Amino acid sequence: MPITLISTSLLAFYLAWNLGANDVANSMGTSVGSQALSLRQAIIIAGILEFTGAVLFGQEVSQTLATKIANPVLFAATPEIYIIGMVTVLVTCGLWLQIATSGGLPVASSHAVVGAMAGFSWVAMGVDAINWISIGLVAIGWIVTPILSSAIAALFYGQIKHWILEQPNQLAQLQQWIPWLSVIVLGVFGVIVLPLLTQPLTNYLNSIGLNLPSYDLPLFVGAVAAIVLSVISWRQLQEVGNNAQKLNNEEIIFTPVEQLFARFQVLSACFVAFAHGSNDVGNAIAPLAAIVYINSTGTIPVSDITIPLWILILGGAGIVAGLAVWGQKVINTIGENIISLQPSGGFCAELATAITILLASRLGLPVSTSHALVGGVIGIGLVQNIKSIQFTTLQSIAVAWLMTFPVSAIFSVAIFTTTKILFL
């Protein structure tokens, strides 16, 4: 077949590029919008953390998309059809994400991938070729994601607003809350990520006779990190004043409390970038992983498959490149055009997003990061003042979300039919 590994790898990189330009804005949009980070700083930080999350945690979601959306058993006798279908997914999703990014609309790449897979499966093998149970579970995740993220963000921000921002002595209140904020921020990351990162060291220590429980080392690392973050935050709180703080070459008046929350927001943005890389890289590389599996084994992947490291690296690199070149438009939409954000609100929205997406990644569910972050921002707006939410922007985003699945399915049908005629 004239469809080579090089050409499919380039298509996967193209999809990852467009995914980075569109979806990675979700991880840094609120930080740029609240002036906690400049656009250049956001791109550098997001690039590092997105790549790391993709390589370390990209397996689960990639396996789900590669084996559980289309019914692979029906393609067992015709693996070449399945390969063409996966190439169709790469082209379809890359095109749709590029169109959406040019308009500054944060669409859901998971919608695009699932829609494209459903489209080619239907036209190739009929309605039975679609795994409707898996699609139903994924669709439930799309609905639950913004609701859950909005609720978590509203809960966090409501507490911060009541116990810190609305108190007469905000500095004194924040000083009491710093340890709790440190524990919450690092706990979100630690509970979900640290066990995996520290497992090799735990295994080594146990091999030399220490016999540590699997959770001891993550708890110790998390506790030390929380103490260090608290001490650093206390020192910074003593240093900040009520003067204007210059950020992004603009004079922005932040209270000392908001200045410190800007620093916490940078940390929460890092977690969102890591979470996004771990979840959404699967949207870009799952079709390529399936193609590589078929080429190497001659069979269709019908259960969990191991994603080669080079594919995870390819996806992570494409995401970073796309963010750096094309990411600014969607960053502006998320960060500035839904509500006006202060660092305290941006911090809560990002923390809620990280919790939602990291949990989904550990469960192997391809949820939408844009759903999670937009839901988090809405949660902040509901606590601040519902009139502060720019519903015109939300309507445009909602229309793009709703269009993504059917448009991707239609594109997929057309591209699959054309490709099949050309190559078979």
Side-chain angles (χ1 to χ4, degrees), residues 92 96 111-112 114-116 118-119 142 399-413:
T92 297
W96 174 243
H111 288 207
V114 174
W142 293 339
V399 168
W401 283 354
L402 292 173
M403 286 177 58
T404 296
F405 185 91
V407 167
S408 297
I410 293 170
F411 278 11
S412 179
V413 169

Side-chain angles (χ1 to χ4, degrees), residues 23-366:
D23 265 18
V24 179
N26 299 322
S27 64
M28 289 292 164
T30 51
S31 292
V32 175
S34 69
Q35 307 294 329
L37 288 173
S38 68
L39 180 63
R40 183 176 181 180
Q41 290 170 333
I43 288 174
I44 293 172
I45 293 173
I48 296 171
L49 272 298
E50 290 275 347
F51 184 83
T52 306
V55 173
L56 292 180
F57 271 89
Q59 286 274 353
E60 295 295 332
V61 174
S62 300
Q63 290 173 353
T64 297
L65 290 172
T67 63
K68 296 179 181 177
I69 301 302
N71 189 344
V73 174
L74 296 182
F75 293 90
T78 54
E80 67 277 4
I81 297 294
Y82 200 70
I83 290 178
I84 290 177
M86 289 299 166
V87 171
T88 298
V89 172
L90 294 173
V91 176
T92 297
C93 298
L95 285 174
W96 174 243
L97 288 174
Q98 184 174 349
I99 292 169
T101 302
S102 65
L105 294 174
V107 298
S109 57
S110 56
H111 288 207
V113 171
V114 174
M117 286 188 172
F120 95 77
S121 299
W122 193 317
V123 74
M125 294 291 176
V127 67
D128 292 336
I130 302 173
N131 190 332
W132 292 106
I133 295 178
S134 292
I135 288 185
L137 291 174
V138 171
I140 291 173
W142 293 339
I143 297 170
V144 172
T145 297
I147 297 173
L148 179 61
S149 182
S150 179
I152 294 172
L155 175 64
F156 281 150
Y157 186 69
Q159 297 304 307
I160 288 173
K161 186 169 180 284
H162 175 73
W163 292 106
I164 299 175
L165 302 181
E166 293 180 343
Q167 296 298 316
N169 192 340
Q170 295 182 3
L171 286 175
Q173 287 296 112
L174 180 57
Q175 191 168 18
Q176 295 179 19
W177 271 78
I178 281 176
W180 298 107
L181 292 174
S182 300
V183 168
I184 290 171
V185 170
L186 294 174
V188 169
F189 189 76
V191 169
I192 301 172
V193 178
L194 276 181
L196 177 67
L197 298 184
T198 58
Q199 191 60 48
L201 180 56
T202 300
N203 292 339
Y204 170 75
L205 293 175
N206 288 341
S207 70
I208 60 176
L210 289 183
N211 296 322
L212 293 175
S214 60
Y215 52 80
D216 271 10
L217 192 58
L219 284 175
F220 174 75
V221 173
V224 171
I227 293 171
V228 171
L229 180 59
S230 297
V231 172
I232 293 173
S233 300
W234 272 323
R235 293 186 61 182
Q236 289 179 340
L237 188 60
Q238 293 172 356
E239 293 173 0
V240 297
N242 288 310
N243 299 324
Q245 181 177 357
K246 196 167 186 178
L247 291 170
N248 295 349
N249 298 319
E250 296 178 11
E251 289 293 336
I252 307 293
I253 303 298
F254 279 154
T255 66
V257 168
E258 291 293 349
Q259 289 182 39
L260 188 61
F261 269 116
R263 291 166 171 79
F264 271 104
Q265 188 181 2
V266 172
L267 189 58
S268 64
C270 291
F271 292 164
V272 175
F274 185 94
H276 179 271
S278 70
N279 191 279
D280 282 31
V281 71
N283 297 331
I285 66 172
L288 176 60
I291 292 170
V292 169
Y293 181 91
I294 293 170
N295 284 337
S296 62
T297 66
T299 60
I300 299 292
V302 295
S303 60
D304 291 347
I305 61 174
T306 299
I307 311 297
L309 180 61
W310 71 267
I311 294 181
L312 292 169
I313 293 174
L314 176 74
I319 286 174
V320 173
L323 168 68
V325 178
W326 286 343
Q328 184 173 1
K329 278 191 174 183
V330 180
I331 283 178
N332 291 337
T333 298
I334 289 285
E336 300 175 6
N337 297 337
I338 298 177
I339 63 171
S340 177
L341 284 170
Q342 288 286 306
S344 55
F347 162 71
C348 293
E350 288 174 351
L351 192 62
T353 302
I355 292 172
T356 304
I357 300 303
L358 281 171
L359 285 174
S361 295
R362 289 302 299 269
L363 295 173
L365 293 175

